Amino acid sequence: KDVGKRTFRVFSSDMDNRVSEYVWLDINLRKALDAEDQLVLYYQPKLCLKTGVVRSVEALLRWNSPERGRIQPLDFIPYAEDSGLIVPLGRWVMRSAAKQAAIWKARGLDLRIAINMSARQLSSSTVVQDFVEALRQAGQAGCQLDIELTESCLINDEALAHAVIRQFRDLGAQVHLDDFGTGYSSLSQLARLPLDAIKLDRSFISSINDNATSQALVRSMVAVAQQLKFGVIAEGVETEAEAEFLKDIDVDDAQGYLYSRPMPAREFEEWLNNKGK
Ligand code: C2E
Ligand code: CA
Ligand code: CA
Ligand code: CA
């Protein structure tokens, strides 16, 4: 009986913690969306492996909470997806990225910005409208935004997902499949996808130089993507050896700490300047 009681108490306080964390996130994420300056996009460059040229960057969301300091996306995005707050949050990301793209273009920088989009966001009825509105607000002809989607975006209604992807592509966005190899889509599903490129997940890249199996796996994934005429981007590249291997098998672009961590816009511009020197 004693043990039962104790177990219950532990369980109960665990629940309390989770519930109060949920409440904290809900209240404060809403505030952050109003305050605006608590949310920041960081940018991580993607380099062409053949030429070293930076053709595009990935926008990664950061939250500076006045109460808790820097909060990483994995600590609030899953919650935002659950609660639906990912829709206004995603709208904020689109608008900020479109604005930044316009600023860079005005300075003569030829850069595309890839934004991440969650399943819940993709299936919201306003997502294409929101995207168009973000481009319009940035006041720019053409579209420099690309979209990174995960396989979970395709689960609920594949036909609808395809239709939305086509609309994005018609607007001038490239669509990339994120975390490639970690989901469960079949090859035939993949072949049907209206995609521009796939992004190899970091988990495959980090073991390339540790074992032959990983190398074989990456080789096969890249071969499949190339057969389907998709571009290939590798994320999480940390060593020269990894980059060499990827270059040898004709991966197009690479992104990772080897080149740079994600940085605020200003810092990224400096990094780009120094790179040219
Ligand atoms: P992701 O889309 O797979 O993004 C790549 C993650 O790997 C980023 O983590 C990035 O900082 C990290 N990374 C890049 N290169 C390296 C490397 O060489 N080594 C290591 N160890 N890590 C590397 P981050 O910024 O913490 O983002 C985590 C996830 O949060 C993202 O994974 C994405 O799923 C989600 N996320 C971030 N921003 C947004 C957003 O604006 N909207 C949505 N829906 N999701 C976002
Ligand atoms: Ca991504
Ligand atoms: Ca990933
Ligand atoms: Ca590694």
Side-chain angles (χ1 to χ4, degrees):
K1 214 175 178 185
D2 262 6
V3 172
K5 254 186 193 164
R6 208 176 314 143
T7 312
F8 176 72
R9 230 182 293 136
V10 171
F11 174 68
S12 153
S13 82
D14 237 39
M15 285 282 285
D16 284 352
N17 285 341
R18 254 187 299 159
V19 169
S20 61
E21 178 63 13
Y22 218 83
V23 171
W24 189 89
L25 281 169
D26 196 69
I27 294 170
N28 289 282
L29 205 47
R30 282 172 204 279
K31 276 192 202 157
L33 273 163
D34 282 340
E36 293 238 333
D37 60 341
Q38 290 183 36
L39 300 170
V40 193
L41 287 182
Y42 274 42
Y43 298 94
Q44 188 179 33
K46 303 181 195 179
L47 283 80
C48 169
L49 276 165
K50 291 239 156 60
T51 63
V53 171
V54 179
R55 300 193 271 214
S56 118
V57 297
E58 178 176 10
L60 293 155
L61 189 56
R62 302 288 180 261
W63 177 12
N64 296 313
S65 151
E67 207 175 303
R68 292 193 183 172
R70 164 72 48 78
I71 307 178
Q72 295 299 325
L74 292 179
D75 293 324
F76 66 92
I77 293 213
Y79 163 75
E81 284 168 347
D82 260 16
S83 65
L85 275 179
I86 193 70
V87 175
L89 205 57
R91 220 176 268 138
W92 183 90
V93 170
M94 285 179 196
R95 270 192 279 127
S96 309
K99 233 183 276 170
Q100 188 60 61
I103 292 171
W104 281 336
K105 189 167 193 178
R107 293 196 196 142
L109 281 175
D110 188 18
L111 274 177
R112 302 191 64 82
I113 301 180
I115 57 173
N116 290 281
M117 223 179 253
S118 302
R120 178 102 184 230
Q121 207 188 337
L122 193 78
S123 61
S124 98
S125 57
T126 59
V127 71
V128 175
Q129 221 175 296
D130 291 344
F131 191 77
V132 171
E133 181 57 20
L135 296 178
R136 197 195 58 78
Q137 272 186 23
Q140 221 203 312
C143 169
Q144 287 164 271
L145 297 191
D146 297 326
I147 295 168
E148 297 189 4
L149 301 172
T150 56
E151 283 167 84
S152 59
C153 293
L154 313 165
I155 288 170
N156 282 337
D157 187 340
E158 200 186 323
L160 180 70
H162 284 203
V164 174
I165 292 171
R166 285 215 184 76
Q167 292 184 68
F168 283 133
R169 293 182 75 197
D170 287 344
L171 287 165
Q174 287 182 22
V175 177
H176 302 164
L177 185 65
D178 213 348
D179 299 341
F180 180 66
T182 63
Y184 300 97
S185 303
S186 65
L187 286 179
S188 59
Q189 252 178 323
L190 184 71
R192 283 196 301 272
L193 266 175
L195 286 182
D196 296 284
I198 58 109
K199 257 186 118 168
L200 293 169
D201 191 60
R202 185 172 86 222
S203 54
F204 300 105
I205 308 305
S206 57
S207 45
I208 279 177
N209 298 109
D210 305 340
N211 62 69
T213 312
S214 297
Q215 287 196 2
L217 213 56
V218 170
R219 260 184 223 282
S220 323
M221 289 192 290
V222 170
V224 166
Q226 288 167 344
Q227 283 290 315
L228 296 172
K229 306 276 184 273
F230 297 153
V232 182
I233 303 159
E235 78 173 14
V237 178
E238 293 181 348
T239 68
E240 286 292 352
E242 288 163 3
E244 272 308 307
F245 176 83
L246 295 164
K247 192 175 159 193
D248 283 347
I249 59 171
D250 290 327
V251 166
D252 302 297
D253 290 351
Q255 169 186 0
Y257 294 171
L258 173 63
Y259 312 106
S260 165
R261 290 185 178 251
M263 311 166 266
R266 281 278 156 72
E267 220 174 286
F268 167 73
E269 288 166 21
E270 256 168 58
W271 177 89
L272 201 60
N273 262 328
N274 291 331
K275 193 179 169 290
K277 279 169 198 159

